[in-house]
């Protein structure tokens, strides 16, 4: 199993550009999430999904869109990049439904918006 | 909004010394998880505590969940350079519909010098 994979690993955008961060998991997990990590702030939840076709907003959803057409994939779209979206983005998946479920994180995408 | 505060933010010690990292909140959590993150990688789960007052040991690491389930601590005995990393605590709320949403603390960066 590859676990949770994310592409690209690094990305530089100009303000106003759009892009999609890819996330895939091969563990047949129902739950998937996107977090951003900024210095001193831990990880903050952007969007999450409890199954194919179901998504919901997290703590910091503005400027991001998600969709979940398959169990395996959970892409994160930046509609019009802003410098405030410079961050490291992590995708995570978990089996779902259990208390204290283990979340598995991908290696992250480091995004810089100029 | 549930908040988790970690202290200290940074800890530098010599190999063989002991250290304790604290994770505090005014909110009650159904469970609390501790992660370690290496540079350029995603967080990896170390332990989950569920019951108030629970103590779990993982080799030289001891994790405790407060009686009121609002706080937790991580104690490392005889720290080694391999313990260097960013330690994150994350709490899970009580809402099942929350989709295993985690609230993360800001992290404690630990440096163990040989």
């Amino acid at each position: 199993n590859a676990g949770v994979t994310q592409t690209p690993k690094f990305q530089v955008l100009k303000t106003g550009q759009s892009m999609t961060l890819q996330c895939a998991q091969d563990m047949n997990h129902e739950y998937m999430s996107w977090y951003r990590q900024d210095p001193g702030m831990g990880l903050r939840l952007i969007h999450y999904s409890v199954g194919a076709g179901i998504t919901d907003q997290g703590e910091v959803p503005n400027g991001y869109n998600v969709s979940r057409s398959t169990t395996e994939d959970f892409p994160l779209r930046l509609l019009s990049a802003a410098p405030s979206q410079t961050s490291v983005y992590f995708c995570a998946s978990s089996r779902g439904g259990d208390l204290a479920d283990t979340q598995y994180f991908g290696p992250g995408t480091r995004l810089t918006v100029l | 909004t549930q908040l988790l505060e970690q202290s200290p933010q940074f800890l530098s010690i010599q190999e063989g010394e002991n250290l304790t990292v604290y994770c505090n909140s005014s909110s009650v959590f159904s469970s609390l998880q501790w992660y370690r993150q290496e540079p350029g990688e995603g967080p990896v789960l170390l332990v989950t505590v569920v019951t108030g007052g629970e103590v779990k040991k993982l080799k030289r690491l001891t994790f405790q969940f407060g009686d009121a389930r609002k706080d937790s601590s991580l104690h490392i005995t005889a720290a080694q350079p391999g313990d260097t990393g960013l330690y994150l605590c994350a709490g899970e709320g009580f809402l099942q519909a929350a989709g295993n949403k985690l609230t993360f603390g800001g992290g404690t960066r630990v440096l163990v010098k040989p």
Side-chain angles (χ1 to χ4, degrees):
Chain A
N1 285 354
V4 180
T5 57
Q6 292 184 238
T7 55
K9 195 162 180 61
F10 300 95
Q11 183 69 50
V12 178
L13 293 178
K14 294 182 180 178
T15 297
Q17 287 185 315
S18 62
M19 79 158 295
T20 299
L21 280 63
Q22 301 293 342
C23 174
Q25 53 90 9
D26 61 359
M27 297 175 281
N28 201 32
H29 284 171
E30 286 297 318
Y31 288 5
M32 297 185 75
S33 306
W34 275 102
Y35 295 86
R36 60 177 289 173
Q37 184 174 34
D38 302 294
M41 300 186 72
L43 283 82
R44 291 182 292 169
L45 184 65
I46 304 171
H47 285 285
Y48 66 99
S49 169
V50 298
I54 306 170
T55 64
D56 205 347
Q57 295 180 353
E59 182 186 353
V60 288
N62 292 342
Y64 308 95
N65 272 357
V66 292
S67 60
R68 183 99 181 267
S69 56
T70 67
T71 300
E72 294 77 20
D73 301 298
F74 191 42
L76 177 72
R77 282 182 287 278
L78 278 70
L79 308 174
S80 177
S84 60
Q85 294 179 304
T86 293
S87 187
V88 182
Y89 291 84
F90 288 98
C91 179
S93 75
S94 61
R95 190 176 53 202
D98 297 329
L99 176 67
D101 207 5
T102 299
Q103 292 213 19
Y104 297 86
F105 286 84
T109 294
R110 185 174 294 273
L111 175 69
T112 301
V113 182
L114 303 175
Chain B
T1 302
Q2 297 177 307
L3 296 174
L4 275 170
E5 292 188 6
Q6 280 186 245
S7 61
Q9 289 186 326
F10 180 71
L11 202 51
S12 179
I13 61 171
Q14 292 295 135
E15 182 176 2
E17 293 182 339
N18 301 332
L19 69 96
T20 302
V21 177
Y22 299 93
C23 179
N24 295 295
S25 175
S26 58
S27 302
V28 178
F29 290 97
S30 62
S31 69
L32 201 133
Q33 300 179 342
W34 284 94
Y35 291 81
R36 182 166 70 205
Q37 185 178 16
E38 308 271 350
E41 298 180 7
V44 175
L45 181 68
L46 294 174
V47 78
T48 300
V49 285
V50 178
T51 305
E54 182 177 5
V55 176
K56 278 192 175 179
K57 293 191 174 183
L58 188 66
K59 296 183 181 178
R60 294 175 293 100
L61 279 61
T62 301
F63 305 85
Q64 185 163 8
F65 201 10
D67 291 340
R69 295 156 86 171
K70 294 182 178 181
D71 55 88
S72 181
S73 63
L74 157 61
H75 182 79
I76 301 179
T77 303
Q80 299 176 0
D83 296 323
T84 293
L86 179 68
Y87 289 83
L88 296 159
C89 65
E92 182 177 26
F94 283 94
L95 297 177
Q96 185 61 32
N100 294 131
K101 290 195 299 184
L102 295 176
T103 299
F104 280 84
T108 296
R109 193 164 297 281
V110 172
L111 174 62
V112 182
K113 293 181 280 190

